[in-house]
Amino acid sequence: MLNQIRGLHHVTSIAGDAAANNAFFTRTLGLRRVKKTVNFDAPDVYHLYYGDEAGTPGSVMTYFPFPGSRSGRPGTGEVGTTVFAVPEGAIGYWTERLTAARVDGLLEDTLLGQKRLHFAGPDGDGFALLEAPGDTRAPWTGTDVPADVAIRGFHSTTLRLRDGGATGELLRFMGYQQLESGEGFTRYQIDGGNGAHVIDVEVMPNIAHGVSGAGSVHHVAFAVENRAAQLEVRKALMDTGFQVTPVIDRDYFYAIYFRTPGGILFEIATNEPGFDRDEDTAHLGEALKLPSQHAHLRPYLETHLPKLEG
């Protein structure tokens, strides 16, 4: 069993309209845009990162906004819900705020004894806010959302699968302990994790495989402290039979990728070097930052990428 993984690092999804995506996360949810860059493989498309003040691993939601992309079709073999942690008693505030903002899909429920508020993102993305007592992570305060109800970071992701057995085995190998089950869900958690250290597996045996598109999660990234720990994880996964990519430099972290038995793309990302490697913390997310291989495209990109507020 691995002991290097500390919880989630980031979650990356697909969007349609970049401006609507930016407004939703910065204005409606009150997160900070911590990086404005481009997709390594499609540089005419943004890669936008939202999180807490510093883009702390475990707080960062990222997006590839492909203009005109078709909507995804929800199903199995994908992330069903990305869950953000808020303080105890905050659900009432968020219900009023999201209602006033005309956010779709508002629904309160409880899962394994914890109160949640479901809502949809601009592309129908599946989100929830969960009241997490004792979460001491600091929120981003440069917004109109009061600090005592603001989002702390991720609580968890829900993996939606037709069969959870093999993925559960993988999660246990990755250092997650199986906790409780009920209502078709099984919860896994890393002891002493980074605050974003819960994974819920929802088994839906009669639901067809999802089709990726706007509103779909592209991949889920798990955090390790540094490159040495990442290489240890990579070797262990490969020794177990997984096909893992070589290490890829993503400028703000180093990444490896592999496909889970249920079809979901997992990434292992380093906490180093962080989002302040090319911008100081006070000005994160303000300037367009380009990977070195795309630097020559700056004159074109600065005139053709959609304008974003903030």
Side-chain angles (χ1 to χ4, degrees), residues 1-2 5 159 164-176 188 222 237 240 242 258-262 264 266:
M1 186 177 76
L2 300 173
I5 294 169
L159 311 183
T167 298
E169 184 176 341
L170 168 62
L171 290 170
R172 289 188 291 271
F173 179 72
M174 290 169 60
Y176 283 82
Y188 297 84
F222 296 83
L237 288 167
T240 309
F242 287 95
F258 66 101
R259 190 73 63 174
T260 70
I264 299 171
F266 276 8

Side-chain angles (χ1 to χ4, degrees), residues 23 58-59 62 68 76 94 111 116 133 137 148 153-154 189 192 199 265 287:
S59 77
T62 99
T76 53
W94 282 102
L111 176 63
R116 305 187 302 178
R137 291 177 291 172
D148 61 349
F154 295 123
Q189 178 175 303
I199 300 290
L265 185 62

Side-chain angles (χ1 to χ4, degrees), residues 5-270:
I5 294 169
R6 307 315 308 146
L8 295 175
H9 186 284
H10 63 271
V11 176
T12 294
S13 292
I14 301 168
D17 183 78
N21 181 265
N22 180 75
F24 182 78
F25 283 93
T26 60
R27 295 212 307 262
T28 305
L29 295 188
L31 298 178
R32 184 183 196 187
R33 191 180 71 217
V34 295
K35 196 61 59 179
K36 181 172 64 171
T37 182
V38 296
N39 187 311
F40 270 64
D41 301 315
D44 56 340
V45 172
Y46 277 123
H47 192 177
L48 303 175
Y49 295 76
Y50 311 100
D52 65 7
E53 180 177 15
T56 306
S59 77
V60 182
M61 189 81 209
T62 99
Y63 271 89
F64 302 135
F66 287 92
S69 57
R70 68 178 185 182
S71 297
R73 187 188 71 198
T76 53
E78 64 177 4
V79 172
T81 309
T82 302
V83 184
F84 297 99
V86 295
E88 191 170 21
I91 291 294
Y93 168 85
W94 282 102
T95 299
E96 292 183 7
R97 183 180 181 89
L98 297 182
T99 299
R102 299 183 179 180
V103 171
D104 291 335
L106 291 179
L107 174 69
E108 284 192 34
D109 73 355
T110 58
L111 176 63
L112 303 176
Q114 291 182 297
K115 189 175 182 181
R116 305 187 302 178
L117 175 65
H118 293 268
F119 62 99
D123 292 289
D125 327 50
F127 292 121
L129 298 168
L130 181 145
E131 292 188 349
D135 190 330
T136 59
R137 291 177 291 172
W140 167 237
T141 57
T143 175
D144 66 331
V145 178
D148 61 349
V149 294
I151 291 171
R152 267 45 186 172
F154 295 123
H155 172 268
S156 57
T157 57
T158 301
L159 311 183
R160 199 161 45 201
L161 305 169
R162 298 192 74 173
D163 184 327
T167 298
E169 184 176 341
L170 168 62
L171 290 170
R172 289 188 291 271
F173 179 72
M174 290 169 60
Y176 283 82
Q177 295 184 12
Q178 183 174 331
L179 296 183
E180 52 191 323
S181 298
E183 308 166 74
F185 291 82
T186 301
R187 175 159 291 175
Y188 297 84
Q189 178 175 303
I190 289 179
D191 285 343
N194 63 1
H197 51 263
V198 173
I199 300 290
D200 288 327
V201 173
E202 181 180 13
V203 176
M204 307 177 77
N206 300 316
I207 302 300
H209 210 75
V211 176
S212 182
S216 302
V217 170
H218 184 269
H219 63 266
V220 178
F222 296 83
V224 293
E225 189 60 34
N226 52 43
R227 296 182 71 185
Q230 183 183 63
L231 291 175
E232 292 170 356
V233 172
R234 183 175 187 271
K235 182 179 185 305
L237 288 167
M238 293 181 69
D239 288 347
T240 309
F242 287 95
Q243 297 185 13
V244 187
T245 68
V247 176
I248 302 172
D249 183 355
R250 295 301 193 196
D251 283 354
Y252 310 108
F253 48 87
Y254 294 89
I256 57 175
Y257 303 86
F258 66 101
R259 190 73 63 174
T260 70
I264 299 171
L265 185 62
F266 276 8
E267 173 185 345
I268 309 296
T270 61

Side-chain angles (χ1 to χ4, degrees), residues 38 43-45 288 290 294-307:
V38 296
D44 56 340
V45 172
L288 176 64
L290 299 179
H294 298 317
H296 66 287
L297 298 175
R298 180 173 291 279
Y300 170 82
L301 294 174
E302 287 185 337
T303 57
H304 285 78
L305 285 170
K307 301 302 179 186

